[in-house]
Amino acid sequence: MNYELKFLGNREGEKEFFPVTVPGDIQKDYAEFKNFGDHHFGLNATKFDAIEDSTWYYIAKFDYKENGEKVFFVTKGIDYECECYINDKLFFTHEGMFEGFECDITELLVNGENTLKIKILPPPKRADAPFGRKQADESVKPPASYGWDWHPRLIPSGLWQGVQIESRKDTDFGKVNVSYDLSADFSFVTVHFDVNSTAEIKYSLFDKEGTCVAESINGCFTLQNPNLWWCRGQGEQYLYTWTAESATCKKSGTVGFRRTELLTNEGAWEELPDFPKSRTRPPITICLNGRRIFAKGSNIVEPDIFTGNVTDKHYEDMVRLAAQANMNIFRMWGGAGVQKDIFYDYCDKYGIMVWQEFTLACNNYKNVPHYLEVLETEARAIVRNLRFHPCLVMWCGGNELLNSWSGMTEQYHALRLLDKICYEEDRNTPFIFASPLSGMSHGPYLFKMPDYNDQEVHAFINKCHYTAYTEFGCGAITEYDILKEIIPEEELDFPTPTETWKLHHGMGAWITESWVSLDILRHYFGEMKTTKQCCEYGAWLQREGYKAIFEAARRQKPYCSMALNWCYNEPWKVAAGNSLLAYPARPKPSYYAVKDSLRDVVASAQIEKFSYKSGDAFTASIWLINDLVEEVTEDIEVSVEIGGKSYYLMTWENATAKANESKEGHSVKFVLPYVENVEYFEVVLKTKNHGENRYKLHYQINVPVVTDVNALNF
């Protein structure tokens, strides 16, 4: 039995109580009560600065009548530091947000009305830290909320996972933990159930048709020839349903059977120098059920600034869209924390593998005893909660920790501790210390990057040689109708470095002009007159930039085995950024370009640059990329379309790529004709069975000296 709890909120020092949403974040509730306005619009998000260090209270009353049953306080997590009271008697304190807990509160209750009060302390901040993310470097609080180049400084807290009061009979039970041991040849699996109860419990396993395939009373049984769980594109996402049932209680869930490893990338061993003797590149090729997988996907940040308010639909939309875009993996970026259970359920369902990081990012997490104590408690809870999701394929210490701006090494106690916990709690799932490691790449993040000799992505990526591209982006202004929802009308005509544009990450942050990238747009398109023009041109560059990098990474397999762009989603409505989805889960034009480039079989053109003039020779190598488990043969027709006219270049007949192979074929050369009133041309690769792939490239008139088309293809 669950008791009905209707919470009210209170900010310490104020007499007013206000309605709250549970699960939720109390700052959002307070802002609605005080009419802060839509935090997405204008400078409204800065109104939260004044309440950042507040202490908050959740208060609920409920009726209790003694009936011999025990009563428990249950939660999956409270953000971040809390004190819990029944009838003003303290019964529990906790620091962290990812460890769930339950407490027997029976002895604290009185017949009749009882009061539950939960005190939420101010967010953790290292006292001598500079303003920003370093304030979180002695806590397990996700540092993104302390301010990032895509996240405003807005630090939420509260009952983000919800709480409940429930009574239990002697034969009731709480959480059921399911684990399994899969045989080396996948011919059988032994399933184990762990429940904290003395009651007799019947455990059953059902296949997807609902047929019972195994039963047990002692919590252990063996299943012969189990169906395996595969990521999207490699096989079925097979999930069994389990039930645990006592005389008075029944619970159920799903389980999928799979094995994951990290293997050294093919070709990496050959790079070892004769002297000095050393190790190869760290392994980063995912091996799922004995099969090497090319991992293609994106980086996940918080789906919402207010993490407690993320709905099941929001999570499912994100995961479903990734599967529809032919992705098979999410990197759960360390600065954003861990999501609610339902997110991982959807990844199980849709076949999206999960690379899960702990909440360390871009900071130096020193050997501070209290921090390490909280980290151990939180990390162990995270691993225990997620380890048997079939989607969970690897653990990672955090983001950009072994870099000059973080200054950590593998010898730091935090990383050694996380390695230890993952081994003890989930030793069959791989662990790496951080991303990136040697041989892996973070960047570039703009279409043209000053840090890379001002090269554009086409030229840059074709010269790269990395085992994995685990972050890369192309910043662009967002779509105009979204801008109208966040930028005041008087600032909307053209991007300018006002406080509103800066707050929404459009200008004045990080590098150059940040993600709006006006300097890059002017380089290709000259002076623009309106924000709408910036939106159209920015979307164009972002589409082509992402296509260039994703396809280049896939062409570089098997040495390269992973391509994950930065980033997939947004926590709020931004003026500009790198994401494929606009908040909350709306595909941008770049999403559809990536969807085409990530098809399991795709004809790909290795293009050397983006911008051309009449008379220039366009050249490209043609490839057939195959991620499937069987050989593929296709005819690839190549043409160029410009000014309403199509020019046939060649057909690569019987192009064949073996399973999980990228195969280079013919090259094309085409001298661009003189065409007036045109600013682009398209390169089109058509196949019979796997659709077409288009590249929209920039075109300018040079001088009218080219009268004949010269196609030289080989």
Side-chain angles (χ1 to χ4, degrees):
M1 167 188 171
N2 290 337
Y3 289 85
E4 183 178 3
L5 298 175
K6 293 184 178 180
F7 282 100
L8 291 175
N10 173 250
R11 183 183 176 209
E12 188 171 76
E14 297 182 359
K15 295 181 179 180
E16 295 177 304
F17 287 80
F18 52 91
V20 294
T21 300
V22 178
D25 298 279
I26 201 161
Q27 292 83 358
K28 184 175 187 295
D29 297 320
Y30 182 81
E32 291 176 355
F33 178 67
K34 290 291 187 177
N35 298 313
F36 279 18
D38 181 5
H39 68 277
H40 297 280
F41 182 77
L43 298 176
N44 285 343
T46 62
K47 295 179 182 179
F48 289 84
D49 295 348
I51 62 172
E52 180 175 283
D53 294 318
S54 298
T55 297
W56 305 92
Y57 294 92
Y58 287 90
I59 298 174
K61 298 184 183 296
F62 62 97
D63 290 326
Y64 166 74
K65 184 177 181 180
E66 186 176 357
N67 60 4
E69 297 179 1
K70 290 186 177 181
V71 182
F72 292 85
F73 173 89
V74 181
T75 181
K76 292 183 178 179
I78 297 176
D79 182 10
Y80 173 78
E81 188 173 358
C82 67
E83 299 173 358
C84 303
Y85 300 83
I86 290 288
N87 300 324
D88 291 325
K89 295 180 180 178
L90 178 68
F91 69 89
F92 192 75
T93 62
H94 185 69
E95 179 179 349
M97 62 181 289
F98 302 112
E99 183 188 24
F101 50 87
E102 60 180 49
C103 303
D104 185 343
I105 59 173
T106 311
E107 299 301 319
L108 299 174
L109 300 177
V110 298
N111 281 307
E113 186 178 80
N114 291 262
T115 301
L116 168 65
K117 180 170 66 176
I118 302 173
K119 180 179 181 180
I120 306 294
L121 279 65
K125 299 177 185 178
R126 176 163 61 86
D128 57 345
F131 186 80
R133 68 181 183 229
K134 291 185 182 299
Q135 292 175 306
D137 64 11
E138 291 183 2
S139 76
V140 192
K141 182 79 170 171
S145 59
Y146 292 74
W148 224 274
D149 56 288
W150 42 267
H151 193 302
R153 184 179 175 97
L154 204 167
I155 310 174
S157 61
L159 305 185
W160 82 288
Q161 289 273 41
V163 300
Q164 62 189 42
I165 303 292
E166 62 180 54
S167 63
R168 298 177 187 168
K169 299 179 174 62
D170 289 341
T171 52
D172 289 347
F173 52 90
K175 184 177 180 179
V176 179
N177 294 302
V178 185
S179 61
Y180 62 86
D181 296 307
L182 190 59
S183 67
D185 61 358
F186 308 105
S187 63
F188 67 91
V189 62
T190 303
V191 184
H192 311 271
F193 291 85
D194 181 24
V195 179
N196 185 17
S197 174
T198 58
E200 182 177 282
I201 301 174
K202 177 183 176 182
Y203 304 95
S204 304
L205 190 70
F206 301 87
D207 63 19
K208 69 175 186 178
E209 283 78 29
T211 302
C212 183
V213 295
E215 288 184 330
S216 171
I217 297 297
N218 64 7
C220 180
F221 51 68
T222 297
L223 177 66
Q224 300 293 327
N225 301 314
N227 292 290
L228 301 179
W229 183 92
W230 291 95
C231 66
R232 192 220 63 81
Q234 296 294 313
E236 185 176 4
Q237 291 77 59
Y238 202 100
L239 296 173
Y240 291 86
T241 299
W242 58 262
T243 61
E245 187 173 7
S246 70
T248 58
C249 184
K250 183 176 181 179
K251 297 191 176 181
S252 63
T254 60
V255 61
F257 305 123
R258 59 93 182 101
R259 177 182 297 123
T260 61
E261 304 169 83
L262 283 183
L263 304 181
T264 300
N265 294 54
E266 291 188 28
W269 286 112
E270 286 72 33
E271 295 183 333
L272 287 175
D274 291 332
F275 186 83
K277 300 297 183 182
S278 184
R279 64 154 300 163
T280 184
R281 299 295 194 188
I284 198 62
T285 295
I286 294 174
C287 182
L288 179 63
N289 301 330
R291 182 187 303 166
R292 286 177 178 256
I293 306 293
F294 189 93
K296 48 190 180 181
S298 195
N299 285 263
I300 294 288
V301 300
E302 301 102 315
D304 198 298
I305 289 173
F306 299 105
T307 52
N309 288 269
V310 183
T311 64
D312 292 1
K313 181 181 184 302
H314 190 165
Y315 277 134
E316 183 169 23
D317 287 346
M318 289 173 56
V319 180
R320 173 180 49 79
L321 285 167
Q324 291 175 352
N326 304 302
M327 294 182 179
N328 62 16
I329 191 170
F330 283 144
R331 175 183 172 226
M332 309 304 293
W333 179 74
V338 179
Q339 300 306 309
K340 298 177 184 178
D341 290 350
I342 189 67
F343 172 83
Y344 301 93
D345 291 338
Y346 286 131
C347 290
D348 292 341
K349 173 183 176 182
Y350 286 100
I352 304 298
M353 298 183 290
V354 168
W355 158 346
Q356 181 64 57
E357 296 187 352
F358 295 95
T359 51
L360 291 75
C362 296
N363 279 331
N364 189 316
Y365 295 87
K366 298 180 179 178
N367 303 335
V368 177
H370 177 72
Y371 165 67
L372 294 173
E373 290 174 8
V374 177
L375 177 64
E376 178 165 13
T377 301
E378 289 280 275
R380 204 172 289 278
I382 291 169
V383 176
R384 288 175 176 174
N385 192 48
L386 297 182
R387 58 187 169 180
F388 295 115
H389 278 280
C391 65
L392 194 286
V393 298
M394 60 183 290
W395 298 103
C396 177
N399 176 71
E400 295 180 359
L401 303 176
L402 311 180
N403 304 72
S404 59
W405 50 91
S406 296
M408 296 181 70
T409 73
E410 295 92 335
Q411 295 306 312
Y412 271 65
H413 290 183
L415 295 179
R416 293 172 61 189
L417 174 64
L418 292 173
D419 190 11
K420 171 181 179 289
I421 289 170
C422 288
Y423 181 80
E424 291 175 346
E425 302 287 352
D426 189 21
R427 67 182 61 187
N428 292 324
T429 300
F431 171 87
I432 63 174
F433 284 102
S435 178
L437 298 175
S438 177
M440 298 158 57
S441 171
H442 277 199
Y445 299 96
L446 293 172
F447 197 86
K448 286 171 64 70
M449 277 287 287
D451 290 349
Y452 297 94
N453 298 320
D454 212 30
Q455 294 182 85
E456 64 184 30
V457 292
H458 295 80
F460 172 77
I461 197 65
N462 289 332
K463 300 174 185 176
C464 288
H465 181 66
Y466 293 104
T467 57
Y469 299 87
T470 49
E471 281 190 21
F472 56 86
C474 286
I477 192 170
T478 195
E479 292 175 275
Y480 189 74
D481 63 323
I482 296 176
L483 289 175
K484 291 196 297 184
E485 297 175 355
I486 61 177
I487 305 295
E489 185 176 359
E490 62 272 17
E491 301 177 31
L492 194 56
D493 286 345
F494 197 81
T496 52
T498 65
E499 293 306 308
T500 306
W501 280 94
K502 291 177 183 179
L503 179 66
H504 288 81
H505 325 299
M507 307 189 74
W510 195 45
I511 56 173
T512 63
E513 295 171 348
S514 194
W515 306 127
V516 168
S517 305
L518 285 178
D519 54 341
I520 298 175
L521 296 179
R522 290 188 181 106
H523 172 80
Y524 291 110
F525 309 113
E527 289 298 327
M528 294 152 291
K529 297 180 179 180
T530 67
T531 297
K532 285 185 178 180
Q533 282 184 301
C534 298
C535 294
E536 293 168 359
Y537 286 134
W540 180 2
L541 290 184
Q542 190 173 67
R543 291 196 308 268
E544 294 305 315
Y546 273 137
K547 285 183 68 67
I549 302 176
F550 267 116
E551 291 184 25
R554 296 179 70 192
R555 291 193 298 264
Q556 293 168 20
K557 66 179 183 178
Y559 181 84
C560 176
S561 63
M562 188 177 293
L564 313 173
N565 81 288
W566 181 268
C567 57
Y568 184 63
N569 61 308
E570 299 168 349
W572 74 320
K573 296 176 183 178
V574 304
N578 293 268
S579 67
L580 300 178
L581 301 184
Y583 176 89
R586 167 178 156 174
K588 293 182 178 180
S590 56
Y591 165 88
Y592 296 102
V594 170
K595 178 180 179 180
D596 279 347
S597 290
L598 292 187
R599 283 173 291 174
D600 294 327
V601 177
V602 65
S604 175
Q606 181 174 323
I607 297 170
E608 298 305 320
K609 62 179 184 176
F610 170 72
S611 187
Y612 297 80
K613 294 181 179 180
S614 57
D616 286 351
F618 165 80
T619 61
S621 298
I622 308 304
W623 291 67
L624 180 60
I625 301 174
N626 178 22
D627 287 346
L628 298 178
V629 296
E630 65 268 358
E631 183 176 275
V632 171
T633 298
E634 271 286 11
D635 291 341
I636 302 175
E637 179 187 293
V638 186
S639 61
V640 169
E641 296 178 0
I642 184 170
K645 186 174 181 179
S646 179
Y647 299 89
Y648 168 80
L649 301 189
M650 60 154 288
T651 299
W652 178 11
E653 296 181 347
N654 297 317
T656 301
K658 296 178 181 178
N660 198 25
E661 179 185 71
S662 293
K663 183 69 174 179
E664 184 177 11
H666 298 277
S667 296
V668 296
K669 181 178 180 181
F670 177 73
V671 178
L672 290 164
Y674 178 88
V675 183
E676 294 182 342
N677 301 318
V678 167
E679 65 176 353
Y680 71 89
F681 67 98
E682 290 188 283
V683 180
V684 185
L685 278 59
K686 294 182 179 179
T687 66
K688 180 178 180 181
N689 300 306
H690 296 95
E692 67 178 28
N693 199 11
R694 287 179 172 264
Y695 307 86
K696 183 180 177 181
L697 303 176
H698 186 228
Y699 174 85
Q700 294 175 293
I701 293 175
N702 193 355
V703 289
V705 297
V706 180
T707 56
D708 297 322
V709 174
N710 179 18
L712 301 172
N713 307 308
F714 49 93

